[in-house]
Amino acid sequence: MRRGAVALMGVLVAGVGPMLVACGGDDPSSDADRGSASPPPYGVVRPRDAVDAVEGEDYDLVHELTPSEGQSTVAVLPDGRLVALASEDHDSYDGAVFVLELVDAASGDREQLPAPWRDEPEAYPLVTVLEDARLLVSWDVREQGASTRRSMVLDLATGDHEEFDMPAPPLSARAKVLSYPQPDADGRLWFQTGKQTCGDGECFSPRDAVLWSYAPGDERPRRELAAVDFAVHGDLLAWTDDRYDDKVHVRDLSSGAEHEHAVDGKCGVTGLVASDALVVAVCGLDYGRQVVLDRRARPVADLRLSYEYASVGDRWVLISPFAYDTWTGRLLRLFHRGSGADPTRELTDDLAVVPLGEANVVGTFAHWGVLRLRSAR
């Protein structure tokens, strides 16, 4: 097993899961970028505001493919290739081994990626797309009753990969590491520690929560600040101070400039997702509400669309089955789903992967589509 420092310079293209989950000036969505369009006024956006997306007008279908049984996408690369997660035991996830595949959406070819976690019981790899065709993959390693976060940087062009462990922070009694590492623009990885109570399948906001950062190969992490919820993307850091706090802080890591916004109404932020230009605050007290802020913490939109976490780019916010254009205020319905929730929904810039066709009785779809979202009708 290889160890060593790994350069992560030139960062995040897309994140995963609720951690889901880069660089630029104070306002990357400048008037020059937008053309002559003015940003839409801040307001509530609901499903009834959506129009059905039309191929050739609202998006272009780049690729269509049929997934293997049990697969779900965890990332879409800028060139349209997909990173898919699959279980080697399709009948049950209990004790299953999870693997990652690189899927060429144009040809349908699949390549299984290195899986150093294969011998770890129930290890679940979490994927972040970096620039220059690289992936950051993290998972848990259990040794002598203790759990360690291990990460791998994989170069998709060469197949080379390097592994490193998260350095152990000094912890008080009952505190533990709570998050997987998230990279910033300088190649540092951020993670959270704290005391957290879990029960009935739900974990509550941690107490005494602290953010740490480290460079791959460091023996000790650097203490950053106290934060209950956080998201890092390139040179943008967003966080909240307290449990169910409605005040979101946003810091430019390159300049040190900080801004904050108190979300109106009864929100109770319980999650954050970030991109180069946008921050999405997930409301825990107003179920299904997600508030979009820009990198100066100015409110952009109040989305009341779904309980599912958003995938966010510099311009678009994807909350299945909707795509919201923060530049024009358009809300597109990309597909019609059944009674269940399909896990296939990722976004990188204007490139989205969504299910296609009609959902079956359990809400899953037989096909995936890679779509390029268009600027305007």
Side-chain angles (χ1 to χ4, degrees), residues 74-302:
V74 293
V76 55
L77 304 178
D79 61 9
R81 290 181 296 171
L82 307 177
V83 180
L85 178 74
S87 168
E88 292 190 336
D89 178 6
H90 298 307
D91 296 328
S92 171
Y93 283 149
D94 185 18
V97 175
F98 293 96
V99 294
L100 295 173
E101 291 185 346
L102 184 64
V103 181
D104 187 327
S107 65
D109 292 342
R110 290 168 167 81
E111 173 190 351
Q112 190 166 119
L113 300 177
W117 58 84
R118 184 180 293 275
D119 295 331
E120 297 295 331
E122 301 181 17
Y124 189 93
L126 190 72
V127 179
T128 302
V129 179
L130 306 171
E131 289 184 350
D132 303 323
R134 293 176 303 139
L135 300 179
L136 172 68
V137 186
S138 301
W139 65 96
D140 282 338
V141 176
R142 293 178 174 84
E143 296 176 348
Q144 299 179 346
S147 179
T148 301
R149 297 278 196 268
R150 183 164 296 164
S151 299
M152 165 183 77
V153 171
L154 170 64
D155 188 324
L156 294 174
T158 65
D160 294 337
H161 64 281
E162 297 182 84
E163 299 172 43
F164 52 91
D165 288 340
M166 176 186 294
L171 296 176
S172 59
R174 296 186 299 280
K176 56 185 179 181
V177 175
L178 300 177
S179 71
Y180 284 95
Q182 299 183 30
D184 69 14
D186 290 331
R188 297 189 67 82
L189 297 163
W190 295 64
F191 68 96
Q192 183 191 47
T193 63
K195 303 172 185 178
Q196 189 172 48
T197 302
C198 298
D200 296 328
E202 180 182 5
C203 289
F204 303 95
S205 296
R207 294 176 292 111
D208 303 327
V210 176
L211 278 188
W212 307 79
S213 74
Y214 68 99
D218 284 355
E219 294 185 359
R220 294 183 180 180
R222 183 174 73 197
R223 184 186 176 106
E224 298 287 354
L225 51 87
V228 171
D229 291 294
F230 83 103
V232 177
H233 197 290
D235 64 356
L236 188 154
L237 168 68
W239 77 94
T240 58
D241 291 325
D242 300 308
R243 182 181 181 184
Y244 292 134
D245 193 357
D246 287 327
K247 184 178 290 184
V248 179
H249 305 267
V250 181
R251 176 188 296 173
D252 185 323
L253 294 174
S254 60
S255 68
E258 288 190 12
H259 306 276
E260 62 183 39
H261 175 74
V263 178
D264 60 325
K266 191 177 182 181
C267 173
V269 177
T270 55
L272 295 167
V273 186
S275 72
D276 295 12
L278 301 172
V279 176
V280 177
V282 181
C283 296
L285 298 179
D286 194 348
Y287 196 57
R289 181 187 181 195
Q290 302 187 52
V291 177
V292 185
L293 310 175
D294 68 11
R295 61 182 294 126
R296 293 184 185 177
R298 296 173 298 194
V300 174
D302 189 336

Side-chain angles (χ1 to χ4, degrees), residues 11-16 19-21 74-77 127-130 233 311-312 346-349:
V11 252
L12 215 53
V13 176
V16 175
M19 306 183 170
L20 44 130
V21 54
V74 293
V76 55
L77 304 178
V127 179
T128 302
V129 179
L130 306 171
H233 197 290
S311 184
V312 56
E346 299 295 336
L347 177 72
T348 293
D349 297 328

Side-chain angles (χ1 to χ4, degrees), residues 304-343:
R304 313 287 180 96
L305 301 176
S306 171
Y307 63 89
E308 297 171 11
Y309 264 59
S311 184
V312 56
D314 290 350
R315 173 174 182 169
W316 294 90
V317 179
L318 183 65
I319 302 178
S320 180
F322 305 102
Y324 179 74
D325 185 349
T326 62
W327 287 16
T328 66
R330 287 185 306 152
L331 180 66
L332 303 177
R333 186 188 298 272
L334 299 181
F335 64 94
H336 291 268
R337 63 184 180 186
S339 59
D342 188 273

